[in-house]
Every structure is written in C-alpha cells, then in structure tokens.
Amino acid sequence: MYDIRPHEIAVPIPAPDDARLYFIGRIHTPWNDRKDCPRQGRTDGPECRIEIFEPWVPALQGIEDYESVEVLYWLNKARRDLIVQNPSHSERTYGTFALRSPVRPNPIGTVLAKLISVDGPNLIVRGLDCLNGTPLIDLKPDRCAFSPKAPPKP
Amino acid sequence: MYDIRPHEIAVPIPAPDDARLYFIGRIHTPWNDRKDCPRQGRTDGPECRIEIFEPWVPALQGIEDYESVEVLYWLNKARRDLIVQNPSHSERTYGTFALRSPVRPNPIGTVLAKLISVDGPNLIVRGLDCLNGTPLIDLKPDRCAFSPKAPPKP
C-alpha cells in the first residue's frame, strides 16, 4: 500500500459499490516491482503480452485491423482515498484528477498501445507501463483510427 | 435494454464482482434518448457539464491547466454479454473489442474532451457523446499533454 506523503489529503470513503467489473484478461510485462515500471509507456518500449480470458476471446475478431488499441486496466494495488497528491515530493501538490497517478477513486489506467500481433487469446503490444499481472478490463480500437461501423445518424 | 440482432453472439456470464467502482460525478448533456446521441463526440459539439460529487471536488485542483481531459464514464444501460456484434445491420459482424460500442463486458466509455472552464464542482467541456445523466468514473489530463510530475526514473 502506498503511504501518504507530506501535504497529501485523504478522505474517508465508503466501500465502493456503484458498479462492478469483470477482469477479462491479464497483462504480462517485464516489471514485477512498482519501482521498475516506467512512468509512461513508450511505443518503442518492450513487447508485452495481453492475455484474454474465456469467454471473451471471440470478441477479438477484427482487432487485428488496428495499429493501435486503447487498453484499460485495473491498478489493483493503488489506494483510492487521496484527493490531493504530492508526486515523489515535487515542489507542489496536485489534485488527483490533474494527475495520471494510479492513486485515484477508481484506479483505472488507460494507455494507447501499438498492436504488434494477435495469436489466439494473446495480443503482443508495445507501449505499456504497468506491473506484470495487472488485470485487464477493456480493449478498444484507438478512437482516432476508429470510424463507426453503423451509418451516420440523420 | 439493447436487443440482440441477427448474427450477434451472446455468452452466459456470471454476475461481475472482480472489482467495484464509485460514481464520482454525473455528466449533463443535451441528449436524453440514446437515438439522439452522436456516434462520436466532436470538439465543436455542444457544451456539456461534468458535475463532480463530494468528497472528490478538491481533486480537481490543477486540472484547469489542461486544454483537454480524458473522461471515463459508465454506460449503465448497455448489456454486457455480447462477444460479436452487428452494428446497425452493417454488412459484417465485429468482435466487441474491435468496436467502440457501449455494449461490452465492462461498459466504460472514454473520450478526450476539450476543457472550456472549471467553476467549483463543475467542468464545462465539448466533445462528449453520452446520454444526459451518465455516471462519471474518472477524469485525467490528456496523456499527450501530461508530463509526469515526479522526476524520471534512473
């Protein structure tokens, strides 16, 4: 658990239960300790593997048409009660929503990853920065490359 | 509830409970019926209001420094069990992860919105496409404009 730093502000919060998630897969990266993770993924970073669990594997059909995919994952080790943070003792504090820190009320990370290949339930990608074993919650085509498949509305 | 279309595939799934979410706010848009929502938000679209709930309002500190913010929201009316979809009777089917459809195992929408102004618990933005009243689950600085506030790792 991340400890609180000087000038950080935590708030009392109830247990969350407004909505519930499925873990639909698992992300395999070279980083087994938080201190080893890069602060931001780079598309020239190492290849990582995204494993999709059943029954979701057929939902990958067509994803190979995209050069980049948006990956949503669950930062299951992050505390959720900080509203103001002090990133590694920087000179000032920031509100949680002005940071991309894993510490946030709903610890969801998003990244745009470069899609290298798809093989059955596995995607090989570059550009991730999360811990090995991180739970996957969604995959979408890059919004910039995606055109709606249904006709425009009148 | 969205009905299933020809050639779509639904799978039996248990109730989700791998992780739980807070609704941290609510999104106010001009669209009260799904058929009126644009298929994709546009930064020249109408101004919309994102309302943050307590105790999270102080977590906005510093967000006004960004021209665009990533908005994550919960598509609470979408079914979650389709793995293959047929977008408005298009000519072929697509896997759910090759679409940005609201119908997905974890119905989380993401959009990059243009930040117009911040006033207390309210943000005025452009570029949304969701229904009026949609629950908010996260706000982050645009990843392209954001630099980590902590020093680079050695």
Side-chain angles (χ1 to χ4, degrees), chain A residues 14 22-23 70 108 110 140 153, chain B residues 14 22 37 70 108 110 140:
Chain A
Y22 295 104
F23 291 164
E70 193 175 349
I108 297 171
T110 71
K140 305 174 192 286
K153 293 185 182 179
Chain B
Y22 295 105
C37 294
E70 193 175 347
I108 297 171
T110 72
K140 305 175 191 285

Side-chain angles (χ1 to χ4, degrees), chain A residues 14-26:
Chain A
D17 199 12
D18 292 319
R20 300 185 181 193
L21 298 178
Y22 295 104
F23 291 164
I24 61 167
R26 186 180 292 117

Side-chain angles (χ1 to χ4, degrees), chain B residues 16-152:
Chain B
D17 199 12
D18 292 318
R20 300 184 182 194
L21 299 177
Y22 295 105
F23 292 164
I24 61 166
R26 187 179 294 117
I27 303 177
H28 302 269
T29 74
W31 307 296
N32 286 300
D33 193 305
R34 216 181 103 136
K35 71 174 170 24
D36 298 326
C37 294
R39 285 211 199 279
Q40 277 189 323
R42 299 164 51 112
T43 51
D44 61 355
E47 290 191 353
C48 298
R49 180 167 65 91
I50 299 176
E51 172 195 4
I52 306 293
F53 298 152
E54 289 295 352
W56 308 112
V57 177
L60 292 174
Q61 177 198 312
I63 202 167
E64 67 280 359
D65 292 348
Y66 293 92
E67 287 185 14
S68 57
V69 292
E70 193 175 347
V71 182
L72 276 66
Y73 47 91
W74 185 254
L75 297 151
N76 53 344
K77 307 219 169 149
R79 64 186 293 163
R80 302 174 66 169
D81 61 345
L82 294 194
I83 52 173
V84 169
Q85 299 181 47
N86 181 358
S88 284
H89 303 82
S90 68
E91 307 226 330
R92 51 162 286 200
T93 57
Y94 297 85
T96 290
F97 302 139
L99 294 170
R100 295 185 63 92
S101 159
V103 174
R104 48 206 321 114
N106 295 306
I108 297 171
T110 72
V111 77
L112 199 59
K114 186 173 174 187
L115 182 57
I116 309 295
S117 63
V118 184
D119 182 12
N122 294 300
L123 287 79
I124 304 299
V125 302
R126 293 183 192 268
L128 300 185
D129 56 14
C130 60
L131 269 179
N132 188 32
T134 295
L136 178 73
I137 56 178
D138 202 8
L139 281 180
K140 305 175 191 285
D142 174 10
R143 73 170 73 83
C144 299
F146 181 75
S147 302
K149 304 304 178 197

Side-chain angles (χ1 to χ4, degrees), chain A residues 5 39 86-90 94 99, chain B residues 146-153:
Chain A
R5 295 172 174 150
R39 286 211 199 279
N86 181 357
S88 283
H89 304 81
S90 67
Y94 297 85
L99 294 169
Chain B
F146 181 75
S147 302
K149 304 304 178 197
K153 293 184 181 178

